[in-house]
Amino acid sequence: MPLLIKSLPAFHFVMGFLLGSLTLAFLLRIILTWYPKIDLRTGFWPLIFLPTEPVLVATRKIVAPIGGVDVTPIIWVGLLSLFRELFLGQQGLLTQIIF
């Protein structure tokens, strides 16, 4: 049990980094929807495209585009922000256990 408690700060950091990275990737996907001619499979863009596209494809099956606008990245930014606040925020569950 003490090993688990000692590893919580590292887990907190890694989880925060991953959630922040995913949120940034989805924010970049929102911006990239303004530029439809950019090929997301070449250059630097696969770093953003590959981790986000499977999630967005599954979400698009549930939420159709509204007025021709794909809102699924916006939904994921909101969900990731909520999850990050609930677990890693100032009064988050994991933060309260650690501190």
Side-chain angles (χ1 to χ4, degrees), residues 44-57:
F44 168 76
W45 305 118
L47 292 173
I48 297 165
F49 176 77
L50 293 175
T52 58
E53 189 61 22
V55 176
L56 293 176
V57 167

Side-chain angles (χ1 to χ4, degrees):
M1 189 69 169
L3 181 62
L4 176 65
I5 293 173
K6 287 182 181 178
S7 65
L8 282 179
F11 179 70
H12 186 274
F13 174 77
V14 170
M15 194 169 159
F17 179 77
L18 290 175
L19 286 173
S21 299
L22 275 173
T23 302
L24 180 63
F26 282 115
L27 285 171
L28 288 172
R29 285 297 299 259
I30 292 168
I31 293 169
L32 287 172
T33 59
W34 301 337
Y35 305 99
K37 292 185 180 183
I38 292 179
D39 184 15
L40 296 177
R41 299 179 197 278
T42 61
F44 168 76
W45 305 118
L47 292 173
I48 297 165
F49 176 77
L50 293 175
T52 58
E53 189 61 22
V55 176
L56 293 176
V57 167
T59 310
R60 284 183 196 121
K61 293 178 182 177
I62 299 169
V63 180
I66 299 172
V69 176
D70 183 19
V71 295
T72 54
I74 298 168
I75 292 170
W76 278 103
V77 167
L79 289 174
L80 288 171
S81 298
L82 175 67
F83 185 77
R84 186 175 182 158
E85 189 62 33
L86 287 175
F87 289 98
L88 305 175
Q90 187 174 5
Q91 294 182 352
L93 296 173
L94 192 56
T95 305
Q96 291 297 317
I97 292 171
I98 294 173
F99 302 107

